[in-house]
Amino acid sequence: MTVVFFQLTLGLYFLGTVMFLVCLDRRSEVLSTIALGLAGFGFFTHTIALAFQLLSGDDLKWVTFHKAMSFFSWSLVLVFLVVAIRQHLYVLGSFILPLAFLSLVSTAILPTEAPVLHPMFQAVWVHVTLSMLGTVGFAVAFVAGLMYLMQERLLKSKQFNVLYFKLPPLDFLDKLNQRSILLGFPFLTLGILTGAISAQITLGAYLSWNPEQTWAVVTWVFYLFVLMGRVTVGWRAKKAAYLTIVGFAGVLLTFLGVILKSSGVPVS
Amino acid sequence: MHIITVGLSHKTAPVELRELLAVPDSRMGEALKRLMTYSSVKEGMLLQTCNRVEVYAVVDQVESGFSAVQEFLVDSHLSLSAEQLLPHLYWYSGDRTIAHLFRVTASLDSMVVGEPQILGQVKDAFRSALTHNTSGVILNKLVQKAISVAKRVRSETRIAENAVSVSYAAVELAKKVFGDLSARTVMLVGAGEMAKLAAKHLINHGVRQVLLTTRDPVRARTMANRFQGSPIPFEEFRSEMAKADIVICSTGASHYLISAEDVQRAVRERMNRPIFLIDVSVPRNIDPAVREVDNAFLFDIDDLEMHVEQNREERRAESVKAEAIAQEEVAVIQKWLQTLVATPTIVALRKRAEDIKQAELDKALGRLSTLSDQDRETIEGLASSIVNKLIHGSVVTLKSVAQSSNGAIYIDAARRFYDLDSGEEASEEDDQLSSSIVASETVKSASDQKNVQHVDEPKFSHEAKG
């Protein structure tokens, strides 16, 4: 049952993504409403799939990479739907939905059903959930940064095309960038703390500097600087956009560390 | 009954001629009364703007109507002769009149397509006609429909969406950088007209603070009064630039007043908060090298023109959709007009009565199954004679008044009393529209004002009253 709903979700996100990308240089409101509808319906089936998974309870909750990514993708779409509908900002879908779709696809193509962490620590799903919520914040910041750079370039080069009209004002994107990091950061902090505790329990050390942990700490420090830099030395606007894009690359590397580790490739 | 229009517009006549025909508001009643003295004119409305003078009339014969209205126009000014006026006039009747009125009201025939004033002007003309009792059932319906068509065009197309004036384009661009403009500060360098217009638009959009500077301190003070801004000594404006989110530069200087370094410094002081610069001076006053400065957005007059041109393209594309809407609505109104003839109304009335009678008979007779054939016939006869007597008066009246000047009113009333147009849901909405037009000036001014800024550029003339 779960599998059926997952596949349905995957299909809907795919269609939504295609639709949203088609919308990028078209002014039709109808198309973007359809795209939003597809995303919304996909979110619905996704929720059902996740609920089935939770209720079946035959294994620990979020401990596999699959489930973590699926949860990530679900939260991303949730954030997108809330922001897009409240701000009437459908163009966000052209950027976020592909990301959500790709993360869900990654669960389908990566051969890893192995647990992320040793299941001895029963509350490991707390760590994964928190880290994923933090990541959602950074992903939104990444998208905002990307949109910022595009809009900035369009303004600078005086290309008043459809995309220019669709993209929101620079100020809005900069604020979205800042707020998403501000929201994501506490989650990542808690995620790292719970991760350290679970590592202490399962591996006997809070920090063993494996690639996953190293990148997590580096990412954390990085975003801390990004946040502080905005207030102290004016890392905002274009600079903030670049930084959040780089930061998200760090996040992806952390993921890579997790995948490598859980798929048994010798690391360290 | 026929509906016609005779008039001239910016497309057919020079402004000198349009001026001559314009009737001042105070003498509108007189003019309308004069129009109604022509025996062929049954209803009339006079629409005038800077760009057009048009008479809409309901007449009994198209030809005599045309000549009456034409005579009316020629007589409207002593120095006018028919030879002078005729080459500039256009004449429409029937469908073409309706389509023309819809196009005009929806701002498809305007000099600046999509400009918002014309709708208010049509409402004004209609109000005058209502006040002076020269508008009747047909014009009422037509003009109300025209107004609702214009609104539909406005909401369903993007015809009036984007700026088509250079100074307003500055506002649109500023919004793309800052989003909300309240709490922003604008700095005016120099006192050029275009800059003042742009500043006015920005203030209308909520800009909180205005800083201004000119070489002439007296002028700076008068401008400060006008914009409720704070003057800054000209020598110091560069160092104060960091305080401004938006800088509008328009001076007569023949060299660059603001260099890339100045802007770089301002951006640094602003901790990388974007700064938006508009240079409307020719020759330019802001070094184009500013474009290379991060978080600084410089637009000169050509960039603004380009933005406007794109918007105009957009409007042209949208006007195709708008034309289709207007055509569609012409068909609707045409159908209504066709019902305003006595015979089909009488036929419809008889059919309606017959239908009701038959339905009620079927119901009653179904319950009275024990009746003899004779009883049944008696009851049927009773029903028929009640119904026939009831509608007899209406039918006779309709037949007798159909050709009179009030015919349309009776026919329309009959259609409403007997609910002969059920299924035509639009009529109720139109009635509300009518009362709102008559009752409240405020609706119009509130809804039109917000868009007025789009077109008040001196270089583009538009439908505004002269």
Side-chain angles (χ1 to χ4, degrees), chain A residues 72-144:
Chain A
F72 168 74
S73 165
W74 180 83
S75 326
L76 202 57
V77 177
L78 176 64
V79 171
F80 156 63
L81 288 175
V82 170
V83 177
I85 292 169
R86 276 184 52 175
Q87 308 275 345
H88 199 79
L89 195 67
Y90 296 176
V91 67
L92 207 58
S94 309
F95 297 84
I96 288 193
L97 205 62
L99 200 61
F101 170 67
L102 286 179
S103 9
L104 204 59
V105 165
S106 74
T107 69
I109 55 172
L110 285 170
T112 166
E113 265 299 336
V116 168
L117 279 168
H118 203 282
M120 263 170 66
F121 181 51
Q122 288 291 316
V124 72
W125 67 272
V126 175
H127 158 67
V128 178
T129 306
L130 288 170
S131 310
M132 282 303 155
L133 286 174
T135 311
V136 168
F138 301 144
V140 175
F142 160 76
V143 164

Side-chain angles (χ1 to χ4, degrees), chain A residues 15-85:
Chain A
L15 287 178
T17 298
V18 170
M19 208 63 160
F20 268 124
L21 292 178
V22 168
C23 281
L24 266 180
D25 67 343
R26 281 184 183 74
R27 298 198 66 154
S28 161
E29 287 258 328
V30 182
L31 280 184
S32 42
T33 311
I34 293 173
L36 190 76
L38 286 168
F41 194 44
F43 179 74
F44 176 69
T45 55
H46 201 167
T47 310
I48 292 176
L50 287 178
F52 267 124
Q53 212 162 45
L54 264 178
L55 292 175
S56 68
D58 52 355
D59 50 12
L60 289 164
K61 278 154 190 154
W62 301 112
V63 274
T64 67
F65 181 76
H66 275 182
K67 287 172 190 162
M69 282 311 272
S70 173
F71 175 69
F72 168 74
S73 165
W74 180 83
S75 326
L76 202 57
V77 177
L78 176 64
V79 171
F80 156 63
L81 288 175
V82 170
V83 177
I85 292 169

Side-chain angles (χ1 to χ4, degrees), chain A residues 27 148 151-152 155-156 158 160 164-165 167 169-171 230-234 236-239, chain B residues 158 173 175-179 184 271-273 291 293-298 303 306-307 310 314:
Chain A
R27 298 198 66 154
Y148 186 99
Q151 181 69 306
E152 197 251 12
L155 267 165
K156 280 254 178 192
K158 277 95 192 173
F160 308 121
Y164 160 82
F165 282 104
L167 287 173
L170 290 179
D171 187 68
R230 177 179 284 268
V231 196
T232 55
V233 289
R236 55 165 56 83
K238 198 176 174 185
K239 215 161 251 172
Chain B
R158 282 185 293 265
L173 284 163
K175 279 190 164 173
K176 270 297 182 193
V177 176
F178 297 115
R184 299 289 170 188
M271 305 262 285
N272 284 328
R273 284 185 186 85
R291 291 175 202 282
V293 178
D294 266 352
N295 300 317
F297 298 91
L298 169 63
D303 300 330
M306 198 168 84
H307 194 268
Q310 219 123 27
E314 175 84 7

Side-chain angles (χ1 to χ4, degrees), chain B residues 322-357:
Chain B
E323 296 279 1
I325 292 177
Q327 284 309 323
E328 191 185 312
E329 299 281 0
V330 168
V332 173
I333 206 84
Q334 189 61 33
K335 217 168 124 194
W336 174 80
L337 276 175
Q338 277 159 5
T339 66
L340 287 189
V341 187
T343 318
T345 303
I346 293 167
V347 170
L349 176 56
R350 287 207 171 114
K351 181 171 185 310
R352 174 114 183 113
E354 187 61 32
D355 286 349
I356 293 174
K357 183 193 87 183

